[in-house]
Amino acid sequence: MKIKLHWQILIAFALSVLFGAFLKDYVYLVSWMGTIFLRALRMVIVPLILTSIISGIVNVGTGENLGRLGLKTLSYYIVTSLLAIVTGLFFVNLIKPGVGSELGLSDKVSGLEMATDSFGDTLINIIPTNIFDAFSKGGMLSIIFFAIIFGFFITKVNSKSRVFLTDFFQSSFDVMMKITMFIIRFTPLGVFGIVAKVVSEQADIISLFERMGLYMLAVILALIVHAGISLPLLLKFVGKVNPLKHLKAVTTPLLTAFSTSSSSATLPLTMTAVEENDGVSNKITSFTLPLGATINMDGTALYELVAAMFIAQAYGIELTYYQQFIGVFTALLASIGAAGIPMAGFVMISIVLSALGLPLEGVGLILAVDRILDMFRTSVNVWSDSCGAVIIAKSEGEKLNV
Ligand code: ASP
């Protein structure tokens, strides 16, 4: 019998805790697995974002989609993602899962450069002077900026080049997804290496667990408030739709999202449910849902910010309001850039960390519980996509069953 990935991760987690606690002196025998795993994940970030954004933009930019419908859809995506991020920000500041943790990490960050540019400078610096420099240094905002521009202008060239480039970037994206999924299969080994090392360096393992528990609580509570209060309010007051009826209509895709942790894999079920149960036209679903599955990720956006704040807290780094604001902005971009596959949100956290000048090694801290949180945030991603389709259909004057 094949054990599902999240169970494998849980088992690896439990074993690695025992290993780190009782075989401290032998941790070097396994810690390399974590290092290799994180390096492999970092390897795919730049090409994954680049191809994901370019192919996404090309799909939006063609046809008559960019008119009123496009504008409405994008506004919904941005507003709900921001709402989600702010909810996450509230909870992580309220619960403060990482503050005061004696994780022994703060001494490692001396000499780290914090992001101290003014907002104006940050915006100006998004335009790279040399794209290869941005690629090699992992200047994510610049890479995203370039990808958007490049994708947009692919739609403006003659049809021979357009078809070629569209196919080229779509195919490259497919390959990058396959590579990422391949790497992700090794998560249990990565978790084993990383967690064993983190645990072996802890004086107080109980405190570590307490912190991780609080961190998960902050993410899950914020997700529940966003999915259970904010989005239903939008459904009720903007869409004039009964939230409970809509929830019933999309239960199957939500459960699928929860068990697969992939918005893309869930997409066919989301489309069927929204069309057949909610009664939304194919014209709206075929535009909003595929787009939503790749760029509208409320759960992921929220998670990006909470995770980055947790890492900052655990390293004893106090973020100013201004830095938190930059965090909100980059979490939004990171969620747009994340592909609809398991752990894509985790891969993207480096964007937020590098924009805030936080140590990239921090991701090792949250890896162990990422896969569990992924199930929750993916369901919220799909829930928000489905709410968007319904609200937009209503605003276009469609008669629905909900
Ligand atoms: N797994 C998520 C999704 O497919 C993306 C993420 O990792 O946050 O929607």
Side-chain angles (χ1 to χ4, degrees):
M1 192 188 74
K2 201 170 170 306
I3 306 175
K4 284 235 173 76
L5 186 63
H6 48 271
W7 287 112
Q8 292 176 14
I9 295 174
L10 276 180
I11 295 169
F13 179 72
L15 292 177
S16 60
V17 171
L18 294 175
F19 195 107
F22 297 110
L23 298 168
K24 272 193 180 40
D25 296 339
Y26 298 99
V27 159
Y28 69 93
L29 291 175
V30 293
S31 60
W32 57 271
M33 295 193 295
T35 313
I36 292 185
F37 180 72
L38 288 182
R39 286 186 72 102
L41 275 183
R42 274 204 222 157
M43 172 183 83
V44 293
I45 297 175
V46 170
L48 188 66
I49 303 186
L50 195 71
T51 51
S52 145
I53 292 187
I54 293 180
S55 47
I57 295 281
V58 172
N59 290 335
V60 189
T62 46
E64 357 47 279
N65 290 337
L66 263 186
R68 195 186 59 227
L69 196 58
L71 209 65
K72 268 190 208 171
T73 311
L74 289 181
S75 316
Y76 172 85
Y77 291 168
I78 293 176
V79 168
T80 53
S81 298
L82 283 176
L83 206 61
I85 300 174
V86 172
T87 311
L89 186 63
F90 173 77
F91 278 97
V92 77
N93 276 323
L94 181 77
I95 299 178
K96 296 196 171 55
V99 170
S101 54
E102 299 296 323
L103 299 183
L105 298 168
S106 25
D107 36 318
K108 291 189 191 157
V109 290
S110 52
L112 235 159
E113 249 182 56
M114 294 292 287
T116 46
D117 291 352
S118 72
F119 187 56
D121 284 343
T122 308
L123 284 185
I124 290 173
N125 291 339
I126 288 179
I127 303 176
T129 49
N130 176 344
I131 50 158
F132 294 101
D133 192 44
F135 287 154
S136 69
K137 295 211 177 95
M140 295 302 173
L141 297 185
S142 306
I143 295 173
I144 294 174
F145 174 82
F146 181 75
I148 293 175
I149 299 280
F150 197 85
F152 178 75
F153 280 98
I154 286 181
T155 65
K156 300 286 170 222
V157 291
N158 64 48
S159 72
K160 183 163 165 270
S161 312
R162 190 176 65 235
V163 171
F164 169 73
L165 287 172
T166 306
D167 288 348
F168 175 78
F169 281 103
Q170 184 60 50
S171 311
S172 309
F173 176 55
D174 294 344
V175 174
M176 288 317 302
M177 292 262 270
K178 283 262 186 277
I179 298 179
T180 311
M181 296 297 273
F182 176 74
I183 297 173
I184 282 171
R185 291 225 312 259
F186 293 94
T187 311
L189 296 177
V191 165
F192 192 89
I194 293 169
V195 174
K197 183 154 179 281
V198 173
V199 169
S200 74
E201 288 166 351
Q202 295 308 308
D204 184 357
I205 299 173
I206 305 290
S207 154
L208 175 70
F209 281 124
E210 222 174 86
R211 295 294 150 188
M212 295 312 290
L214 284 178
Y215 160 65
M216 292 175 74
L217 185 75
V219 174
I220 293 175
L221 269 184
L223 285 174
I224 290 176
V225 167
H226 182 69
I229 299 178
S230 309
L231 291 177
L233 284 177
L234 280 180
L235 275 177
K236 186 143 185 60
F237 293 106
V238 182
K240 310 263 183 294
V241 165
N242 182 335
L244 280 179
K245 276 193 182 166
H246 174 59
L247 176 64
K248 235 174 120 202
V250 294
T251 327
T252 310
L254 290 186
L255 290 175
T256 313
F258 190 78
S259 50
T260 60
S261 293
S262 166
S263 314
S264 296
T266 312
L267 181 62
L269 291 158
T270 320
M271 291 185 72
T272 316
V274 173
E275 272 175 42
E276 286 178 8
N277 304 345
D278 285 312
V280 175
S281 71
N282 179 266
K283 172 174 166 263
I284 305 248
T285 56
S286 64
F287 174 63
T288 59
L289 292 175
L291 193 62
T294 42
I295 71 172
N296 180 45
M297 299 199 177
D298 294 10
T300 303
L302 181 158
Y303 167 79
E304 299 291 318
L305 189 80
V306 176
M309 293 283 294
F310 171 66
I311 291 172
Q313 292 172 353
Y315 277 85
I317 298 169
E318 185 92 31
L319 294 180
T320 61
Y321 284 120
Y322 167 67
Q323 284 170 320
Q324 298 192 15
F325 175 71
I326 296 289
V328 170
F329 181 65
T330 40
L332 175 68
L333 290 178
S335 73
I336 291 176
I341 54 174
M343 290 178 77
F346 175 78
V347 178
M348 291 293 157
I349 284 177
S350 337
I351 297 185
V352 189
L353 294 182
S354 59
L356 293 177
L358 296 173
L360 290 182
E361 291 68 28
V363 296
L365 211 59
I366 53 170
L367 172 65
V369 291
D370 177 77
R371 197 60 178 69
I372 299 171
L373 294 177
D374 199 1
M375 301 166 90
F376 290 91
R377 65 178 188 256
T378 308
S379 312
V380 176
N381 291 345
V382 170
W383 170 238
S384 171
D385 292 341
S386 73
C387 294
V390 166
I391 291 176
I392 289 160
K394 262 295 179 91
S395 76
E396 292 283 300
E398 291 191 3
K399 286 250 165 302
L400 306 183
N401 313 328
V402 285

